Amino acid sequence: MKKYFGNITIVGLLFIMTAPVFSLAQDRVNSASSAQTEKLDDIVVFGTSMGQVEEAFNPKKISNEVIESFQFTDVNRALKHTSGVYIREEEGLGLRPNIGLRGTNPDRSKKVVILEDDILIGPAPYSAPAAYYVPDMNNIYSLEVWKGFSAIHIGPNSIGGAVNYVTIPISNTQGGELKATGGSFNTLNTKLNYSAPTSFGGYLIQGAYLRSDGFKKIDGGGNAGFEKIDLSGKLKWDLFSAKGYEHYLQVHLGYSYEDSNETYVGLSRTDFNASPFRRYSSTALDEMLWNHQKYQLHHVMQLSDVAILKTSLYRNDFHRKWYRADRFRGGQDFRSLLANPSSAPLFYEVLTGARDTEDLGPDAEIVIAGNDRRFYSQGIQTNFSSEYQVNNYKISPEIFVRFHQDQIKRDHTSDRYEMFDGKLERTMTPTQTDALESQTSQAFTLSARSSIEFGKWNVTPVLRYEWVGMDLDDTLTPSRNAKRSDNIFIPGLSTLYRWHPMFSTAISYNRAATLSGISVAGTEVKEEADNFEAQLKYRDAKRFIEADLTGFFTHYQNITGTCTVSSGCTGTPLGVAFNGGKASIFGIEASATKGFIFESFYLPLQANLTLLSAAFDSQFNSTNHEWGIGTVSKGDPLPYVPEAQMSLTVGVETKLTKNYLSVTYQSFMYDQSIDNTDRIKIPAYTVVDFSGRYIFSENWDMTYKVDNVLAAEYMVAARPAGFRSGKRQSFHLGVTHKF
């Protein structure tokens, strides 16, 4: 790891030092080809923010231009276009994102706050953060990634940060866009949006339909694909303002649906090496159905030239049922079996469909779980921001208040199946109820921050107070009922110095916390950490240059884990929290973007590097499957946190064509912390993607895309049971019509 940090420091400093050289080179190119630049339109560098150097630790942004250029339908691939984010892929299609930030476990994005237009959009962010819903990328305008100090004001989880999905805004002009794309695995993606102003305000309607047969093949046949529908609309009413300030109400409604035939069962190592896109016949019935409804009411009122008040009332309802192969009736679990098929070879043959259940008896019946869960999330929040001058001080205060409530209800059942002649057949055993419980949380959040600018200095203090109360009610096992409440006070302070209009440095310190999950006894300690950051930032928007270098250190006083099926947890009630003691995370994030103009060609270039060292600082006995069962020793790594990630994106644009090549690299990682026979090393991999666009006219263009250009076969995970592959090579062709 030390060699990585030495190299990244040098590379990061080179990013900063070479920016002026890029500037001089660009001056010469501009002076030589200024007449040709008018041949190009929509010039956009791959820079994620192009923010000002006086902004301390603002979020990284993945712009609409980048999302459109790469035709993203998978948020995993989109997030790799910025530093500090790492992904544990699951099914290779982006249906179940597992997002990690700055050393947090990416399992089901449970340590990351998922927002849509600054509103908590997870099914139950406090009661069940490890849930399955994220907004559809088809209807997303841009992404914001908040990390470290910049994420203090966002609850409940501020140690890693947050990802904010920004939806398509209502347009000031009338018009729409229709896109249709088809490709490998019978993939079809269509989306439509139309927006127009009205006499009273404006409106937007949008919809998307995405389907695919999937790139995996089930032994004996079966559906391994999915389909998704996403519909939404916005309606805006302009309200009276005596001074002509912005003042309006906006309603945002949405409905989405998914039917996906995905599984938690992977492959043994031997089977993966022989055919990584195979699925066993025991998974042929696996299917998840879910639907999501959102209701949002926004009131925005500009109070003065520099003050604005925004209030949002929101409600989200989410219902999903996942019917999936879970275990053998006799207790043999899939994870240990696939890790070592020779430990129970006859059960392995039943799992793969090579042997009938009757050869072994009832213990070899396959249990299919029907995990039915209902969620709601609702609340009201208000944000006030302003700016004023006091002598030589420019002060920009912001106050945020939120009242929130959410709930998860679990109604888990299971059925017994026999394997017969390579097919699953239902037994006569009645459906069994395995879990019947609910967990409800209430939370109050108050945060205040202010940028204080004077001369070349910018000081930003931040304070956040949060209270949360949780209630677990288990109908089947009343002894598990538990209550918990927490109060946290999160302070932070950053100091920035602007050495030059294009160059600044900043340092910060903040406390951070995670408030989610509850144990049976209510004995868990809330997750808390100290975070230190230092950043160098260079911006030259005129010459399309952006460069950042950030170093950080996060020290956990107590790190926590949560029992989830996706992490491999078995034999423990789902949602139970575990204490893990102390841990430390060192990291360096570097990014640089540059745009070059040569004659009638525009060449945007972007590079991102992320290095992490994430390990436990203390020894303790673990009963949490995501860390491993046994003794965690000092220095054991945090699971699914790669030491190194790199990405390079190069584009070539003309007036009629836009082509982009992206190369991403991820180093090895471990699927658990404890170094024993159960720990699995996920090898490093590199993936190359290509996308392009040919512009026929102002209203028509053609898109083309190749994912995994080099047809790499790579492993992305070994949880919860067996090895999983990344997406295989695929081709896509589409057409876009603007009207």
Side-chain angles (χ1 to χ4, degrees):
M1 192 63 200
K2 291 182 178 178
K3 68 175 182 178
Y4 282 133
F5 275 91
N7 291 340
I8 190 60
T9 303
I10 295 172
V11 173
L13 290 173
L14 284 175
F15 281 163
I16 304 299
M17 294 168 62
T18 54
V21 177
F22 282 155
S23 299
L24 293 174
Q26 187 63 41
D27 281 337
R28 295 178 182 177
V29 171
N30 284 344
S31 62
S33 60
S34 60
Q36 283 80 15
T37 58
E38 295 186 1
K39 297 179 182 179
L40 299 165
D41 58 359
D42 299 327
I43 290 180
V44 178
V45 73
F46 284 133
T48 54
S49 62
M50 278 300 174
Q52 300 301 311
V53 294
E54 64 266 21
E55 295 174 346
F57 301 100
N58 51 319
K60 287 289 187 178
K61 297 182 180 180
I62 301 173
S63 67
N64 178 253
E65 289 81 5
V66 171
I67 291 174
E68 289 296 317
S69 295
F70 285 90
Q71 306 156 48
F72 290 127
T73 58
D74 180 349
V75 70
N76 293 335
R77 275 176 152 77
L79 288 173
K80 290 181 179 179
H81 279 253
T82 187
S83 60
V85 184
Y86 48 95
I87 305 294
R88 192 195 82 187
E89 290 190 34
E90 184 164 315
E91 77 304 306
L93 300 168
L95 301 178
R96 315 274 184 268
N98 294 270
I99 304 168
L101 298 172
R102 294 195 167 175
T104 59
N105 191 329
D107 176 52
R108 198 61 75 221
S109 308
K110 63 188 177 186
K111 295 296 183 74
V112 173
V113 180
I114 304 297
L115 305 168
E116 183 185 82
D117 295 333
D118 300 317
I119 289 175
L120 295 173
I121 199 65
Y126 287 82
S127 300
Y132 299 81
Y133 172 80
V134 293
D136 187 347
M137 283 297 295
N138 266 320
N139 291 327
I140 296 302
Y141 185 78
S142 63
L143 293 167
E144 296 177 342
V145 181
W146 300 80
K147 297 173 293 184
F149 180 83
S150 69
I152 300 175
H153 64 293
I154 302 172
N157 304 337
S158 59
I159 295 179
V163 176
N164 185 29
Y165 292 72
V166 180
T167 62
I168 299 173
I170 296 175
S171 176
N172 293 324
T173 59
Q174 182 176 343
E177 188 174 70
L178 174 64
K179 297 184 178 181
T181 303
S184 301
F185 328 123
N186 287 324
T187 298
L188 174 64
N189 186 31
T190 58
K191 55 182 180 178
L192 167 71
N193 69 74
Y194 182 80
S195 184
T198 65
S199 59
F200 57 83
Y203 67 91
L204 168 71
I205 56 173
Q206 55 188 10
Y209 174 76
L210 174 62
R211 70 161 308 279
S212 175
D213 289 345
F215 60 87
K216 296 181 181 179
K217 298 297 181 182
I218 301 174
D219 294 347
N223 189 347
F226 71 92
E227 66 173 356
K228 296 178 66 173
I229 296 173
D230 191 277
L231 305 171
S232 63
K234 296 181 180 180
L235 185 61
K236 177 183 176 184
W237 289 272
D238 290 324
L239 303 177
F240 174 75
S241 175
K243 295 185 177 181
Y245 291 143
E246 190 173 35
H247 187 202
Y248 64 86
L249 277 174
Q250 180 174 291
V251 174
H252 185 189
L253 305 176
Y255 171 82
S256 52
Y257 161 87
E258 179 183 297
D259 181 358
S260 56
N261 299 279
E262 284 300 331
T263 182
Y264 268 155
V265 181
L267 302 170
S268 70
R269 185 180 294 274
T270 300
D271 291 336
F272 182 90
N273 292 339
S275 180
F277 310 123
R278 175 188 176 189
R279 268 178 55 177
Y280 300 137
S281 56
S282 55
T283 70
L285 300 181
D286 288 18
E287 180 182 29
M288 178 184 282
L289 291 167
W290 63 249
N291 63 79
H292 179 272
Q293 301 92 41
K294 66 182 174 187
Y295 313 89
Q296 299 176 5
L297 177 64
H298 305 281
H299 175 243
V300 177
M301 180 168 59
Q302 187 178 353
L303 304 175
S304 69
D305 290 341
V306 292
I308 191 166
L309 180 69
K310 179 179 179 180
T311 302
S312 299
L313 183 68
Y314 60 92
R315 165 88 182 200
N316 299 293
D317 292 289
F318 182 66
H319 177 216
R320 65 91 160 167
K321 185 171 184 178
W322 197 352
Y323 199 63
R324 55 173 177 76
D326 186 67
R327 63 191 184 278
F328 284 103
R329 181 175 180 175
Q332 174 68 58
D333 68 279
F334 293 165
R335 173 173 167 77
S336 60
L337 179 63
L338 292 175
N340 184 17
S342 62
S343 64
L346 299 184
F347 280 90
Y348 166 74
E349 291 178 8
V350 173
L351 183 66
T352 62
R355 180 179 291 272
D356 292 344
T357 297
E358 64 180 5
D359 294 344
L360 279 73
D363 282 354
E365 291 177 0
I366 293 176
V367 178
I368 295 189
N371 288 358
D372 191 327
R373 301 180 186 178
R374 294 181 182 270
F375 307 77
Y376 74 77
S377 171
Q378 61 187 15
I380 184 171
Q381 63 185 44
T382 296
N383 190 87
F384 169 79
S385 60
S386 184
E387 180 182 300
Y388 55 92
Q389 193 82 25
V390 177
N391 298 324
N392 294 325
Y393 296 85
K394 185 173 77 172
I395 303 174
S396 304
E398 183 175 352
I399 299 174
F400 174 78
V401 180
R402 179 175 63 215
F403 296 91
H404 176 89
Q405 183 184 57
D406 61 46
Q407 183 185 80
I408 176 176
K409 287 187 175 181
R410 296 184 176 95
D411 183 1
H412 294 182
T413 60
S414 58
D415 297 319
R416 276 61 175 167
Y417 282 79
E418 291 183 337
M419 182 66 70
F420 179 75
D421 197 22
K423 301 287 184 181
L424 290 172
E425 293 186 357
R426 176 81 181 272
T427 70
M428 298 299 291
T429 305
T431 298
Q432 176 179 313
T433 299
D434 296 333
L436 192 61
E437 64 181 42
S438 65
Q439 184 174 330
T440 305
S441 300
Q442 298 84 31
F444 168 73
T445 304
L446 171 65
S447 69
R449 57 179 177 172
S450 180
S451 170
I452 305 170
E453 188 176 345
F454 52 98
K456 295 183 177 182
W457 293 91
N458 187 322
V459 177
T460 305
V462 181
L463 297 173
R464 176 172 133 241
Y465 167 77
E466 191 155 6
W467 172 88
V468 61
M470 299 181 181
D471 190 345
L472 173 64
D473 184 6
D474 191 324
T475 302
L476 296 182
T477 312
S479 60
R480 289 192 64 240
N481 293 349
K483 293 181 181 292
R484 169 193 169 194
S485 64
D486 265 323
N487 290 274
I488 63 165
F489 184 70
I490 302 295
L493 179 69
S494 80
T495 301
L496 179 146
Y497 185 77
R498 191 171 63 254
W499 302 88
H500 183 273
M502 295 184 292
F503 178 72
S504 68
T505 58
I507 59 172
S508 75
Y509 162 77
N510 65 272
R511 294 281 288 171
T514 296
L515 288 174
S516 55
I518 187 170
S519 73
V520 177
T523 57
E524 74 282 352
V525 180
K526 59 180 174 290
E527 188 170 75
E528 292 185 291
D530 292 292
N531 182 58
F532 303 85
E533 285 180 77
Q535 184 179 83
L536 285 73
K537 183 183 295 185
Y538 181 89
R539 296 288 187 275
D540 188 344
K542 292 182 179 179
R543 298 177 177 87
F544 310 118
I545 300 172
E546 174 182 338
D548 293 286
L549 178 64
T550 302
F552 69 91
F553 167 61
T554 300
H555 181 249
Y556 285 84
Q557 281 71 49
N558 181 64
I559 192 170
T560 64
T562 307
C563 176
T564 65
V565 176
S566 57
S567 68
C569 186
T570 60
T572 303
L574 298 178
V576 168
F578 300 89
N579 294 319
K582 296 181 179 181
S584 292
I585 300 172
F586 298 86
I588 293 179
E589 302 162 1
S591 63
T593 62
K594 177 70 181 96
F596 297 94
I597 297 176
F598 298 101
E599 300 296 334
S600 59
F601 294 91
Y602 176 62
L603 280 69
L605 174 68
Q606 180 193 58
N608 292 295
L609 302 103
T610 303
L611 290 179
L612 289 169
S613 175
F616 283 100
D617 279 346
S618 58
Q619 179 174 303
F620 64 95
N621 184 57
S622 169
T623 57
N624 179 16
H625 287 76
E626 72 179 46
W627 300 326
I629 305 300
T631 301
V632 173
S633 301
K634 181 178 180 180
D636 282 344
L638 299 185
Y640 283 104
V641 179
E643 286 191 347
Q645 267 195 170
M646 306 178 190
S647 69
L648 176 66
T649 302
V650 180
V652 178
E653 300 181 5
T654 68
K655 189 173 181 63
L656 298 180
T657 63
K658 301 177 185 294
N659 298 282
Y660 311 98
L661 189 72
S662 176
V663 182
T664 59
Y665 165 82
Q666 180 173 294
S667 70
F668 74 90
M669 54 189 179
Y670 294 106
D671 78 322
Q672 69 174 40
S673 302
I674 297 175
D675 186 9
N676 57 23
T677 56
D678 293 330
R679 189 163 82 174
I680 296 171
K681 182 178 180 180
I682 310 300
Y685 62 85
T686 301
V687 177
V688 179
D689 294 331
F690 171 78
S691 65
R693 180 186 306 270
Y694 183 83
I695 303 169
F696 290 103
S697 67
E698 184 178 352
N699 298 325
W700 291 92
D701 62 50
M702 178 180 69
T703 58
Y704 39 92
K705 180 172 69 166
V706 184
D707 286 339
N708 195 357
V709 173
L710 301 180
E713 295 182 354
Y714 57 101
M715 184 188 302
V716 296
R719 294 270 172 162
F723 297 98
R724 296 166 176 262
S725 68
K727 187 178 182 180
R728 68 188 301 178
Q729 186 183 69
S730 63
F731 301 85
H732 305 271
L733 184 66
V735 63
T736 302
H737 175 53
K738 297 179 181 179
F739 56 93

